[in-house]
Amino acid sequence: GRKIRLEYEMDNLKGGLNGPKHGKEDPDNQPHVGGNTWAGGTGGRDTAGLGGVGGPYRLDKGHDVHQVTDEIKNSVSDEVKEAAKKLGQEGLALRLKEISMDPFESHIYDRYYGNVKTQIEQLRVILEALEAKSSDNRTWVRHQTSGDLDEGKLIEGITGEKNIYKRRTPPDVPNPHGEQQHPKRLKFLFDVSASMYRFNGVDRRLDKLLEAAVLVMESLEGAENIVFSISGHSGDNHNIKFVTYESPPKNRMERLQVLQRMVAHSQYCWSGDNTLYGTEAAMEELEGEEADEHFLFVVSDANFDRYRISPREFGKLLTKSDKVQAFAIFIASLKRGQSDQITAQLPPGRGFTCLNTSLLPPLLHKLLTQKVISA
């Protein structure tokens, strides 16, 4: 099974800050606590790692985490913060460049794909059936005096009525329900902020996010009447483009690169939250696009308290548009009941809590089936 990761709080810091840096790589990957020498240590200073202060970006080597207090973090000077932020931006640019040139590592993609394979196959079957049905533009016309017996009018037949049959209309007869003129447009807004990477070792929140992205990309590949896009938000940016409507990933290598870019933004971004700005921008973008129906799915952690985000204000955002049906899914929470408290303040049917590692893909599968495909 998965190793249990422990978290410890540190209320003191030995030594001063000397400037952000990556740090030395330990070939034996031993746990390092405190200090400012090793990359991937915890509770230290200056170097890339977790739980420390003054470092340029996050780096998880799989060890227990020693976390310095907010008081220590808040004591960092603006000069050090700016230097760390600049180094983080440079690290992100380098990582994104590496991703575009890296060879395809199928075992990495298969790790995420394998966890949602069943849901992908189920959703594909439903989509194929829907498209087969929509390709037959004939429709049943009821209340006929000849044709196939209408099972819904058996009682009327017993009493002697004649118009108890139904017939299929030929293709040149207009469908009274109308035909789909434009594709259904789906937008997924994923939280790729710092907390997703930082606390992945606690509850697999980033892994769950990546599995959800695989479910979306694999299930909707080649769908005739549905187009989708994937964006993200972090402390640095409220609208990071991962997948556009016009250019969805064509193969597993391109889908893996989407996942790797999501991880990179979460690892290298500055701390902060753009949930409200990202949601508002996504709603406005969807409203400006031609579609028979518009859907927005916001997938995030429940870290609202830390950034003073009002659940009611967020709920107003989800329902502000007459054109866009918007839903929020909370996949992680550091405080017991925090996500449930948020969803309770959202409009009915718009917010969902999904803290169980294995339940996000089924929930997304259920929403896509009930809200999108059946619409």
Side-chain angles (χ1 to χ4, degrees):
R2 193 169 66 95
K3 175 188 173 185
I4 297 176
R5 302 274 294 272
L6 300 179
E7 296 263 337
Y8 303 92
E9 184 173 290
M10 296 179 63
D11 57 6
N12 62 78
L13 188 70
K14 295 180 180 179
L17 300 177
N18 298 324
K21 60 184 179 182
H22 178 79
K24 292 183 180 179
E25 290 288 342
D26 182 351
D28 298 322
N29 192 26
Q30 294 296 312
H32 298 281
V33 180
N36 67 341
T37 300
W38 301 102
T42 74
R45 64 191 196 280
D46 298 335
T47 60
L50 294 179
V53 64
Y57 40 82
R58 288 151 290 283
L59 183 60
D60 189 349
K61 295 280 190 172
H63 304 299
D64 296 341
V65 177
H66 294 72
Q67 176 68 57
V68 302
T69 62
D70 284 344
E71 184 180 0
I72 293 175
K73 293 172 68 174
N74 293 335
S75 68
V76 178
S77 69
D78 290 340
E79 290 78 11
V80 171
K81 289 180 181 178
E82 283 301 315
K85 188 174 184 178
K86 183 174 184 293
L87 203 57
Q89 291 171 341
E90 292 172 355
L92 174 61
L94 178 61
R95 179 64 188 126
L96 294 177
K97 185 176 180 180
E98 289 173 349
I99 289 171
S100 66
M101 298 184 295
D102 282 349
F104 176 54
E105 298 182 84
S106 61
H107 67 282
I108 297 178
Y109 187 80
D110 288 343
R111 189 171 77 229
Y112 299 108
Y113 177 84
N115 288 335
V116 292
K117 181 180 179 181
T118 300
Q119 287 78 25
I120 291 170
E121 292 173 348
Q122 290 173 349
L123 199 52
R124 280 178 173 169
V125 169
I126 295 171
L127 284 168
E128 288 169 3
L130 178 73
E131 289 174 0
K133 182 179 179 181
S134 66
S135 65
D136 184 354
N137 59 1
R138 297 179 300 165
T139 185
W140 286 108
V141 178
R142 303 182 66 196
H143 312 297
Q144 304 298 298
T145 56
S146 62
D148 295 335
L149 180 64
D150 188 342
E151 298 87 349
K153 304 198 73 174
L154 294 178
I155 301 298
E156 288 85 344
I158 295 173
T159 60
E161 285 195 25
K162 302 296 185 184
N163 56 343
I164 59 171
Y165 299 93
K166 58 183 179 179
R167 289 187 296 109
R168 295 279 248 175
T169 61
D172 58 337
V173 175
N175 185 338
H177 302 291
E179 295 181 3
Q180 187 172 340
Q181 300 298 314
H182 303 286
K184 297 179 181 182
R185 197 171 289 270
L186 280 59
K187 187 172 186 63
F188 297 86
L189 179 63
F190 287 152
D191 182 351
V192 290
S193 62
S195 61
M196 300 301 291
Y197 186 97
R198 165 62 181 86
F199 296 109
N200 189 54
V202 176
D203 52 23
R204 288 194 66 240
R205 61 183 64 187
L206 185 55
D207 288 340
K208 288 188 281 183
L209 198 74
L210 301 180
E211 289 170 4
V214 171
L215 173 66
V216 170
M217 292 187 289
E218 289 279 357
S219 301
L220 299 180
E221 180 190 21
E224 293 182 7
N225 299 317
I226 297 175
V227 294
F228 73 96
S229 72
I230 298 176
S231 297
H233 69 82
S234 70
D236 290 336
N237 195 331
H238 70 277
N239 190 11
I240 307 165
K241 304 291 188 184
F242 293 121
V243 175
T244 64
Y245 297 113
E246 298 77 18
S247 302
K250 297 183 291 291
N251 50 52
R252 287 191 162 200
M253 180 174 181
E254 291 186 5
R255 288 191 278 276
L256 176 60
Q257 290 175 342
V258 171
L259 305 185
Q260 290 173 324
R261 291 201 302 272
M262 292 171 69
V263 173
H265 278 277
S266 185
Q267 180 179 2
Y268 290 94
C269 73
W270 199 242
S271 60
D273 190 280
N274 271 305
T275 300
L276 294 181
Y277 293 122
T279 302
E280 187 170 24
M283 297 278 280
E284 292 177 355
E285 181 180 303
L286 270 170
E287 285 186 315
E289 299 281 357
E290 274 194 329
D292 275 15
E293 292 170 294
H294 306 73
F295 297 89
L296 172 63
F297 298 91
V298 182
V299 184
S300 176
D301 62 17
N303 204 13
F304 277 27
D305 286 353
R306 184 174 182 83
Y307 296 103
R308 296 188 175 94
I309 298 174
S310 164
R312 296 194 183 281
E313 183 180 351
F314 182 59
K316 290 179 181 178
L317 264 182
L318 295 179
T319 54
K320 69 176 291 189
S321 172
D322 293 331
K323 294 176 63 176
V324 180
Q325 296 185 54
F327 307 91
I329 305 171
F330 298 101
I331 62 173
S333 175
L334 290 177
K335 298 179 183 178
R336 183 181 296 273
Q338 187 179 31
S339 57
D340 289 332
Q341 291 173 6
I342 294 174
T343 56
Q345 297 180 64
L346 299 180
R350 297 302 183 109
F352 303 87
T353 294
C354 188
L355 305 185
N356 188 309
T357 304
S358 62
L359 295 183
L360 177 60
L363 173 59
L364 205 49
H365 169 268
K366 178 180 177 181
L367 285 174
L368 288 173
T369 303
Q370 293 184 352
K371 304 297 183 180
V372 179
I373 296 175
S374 65

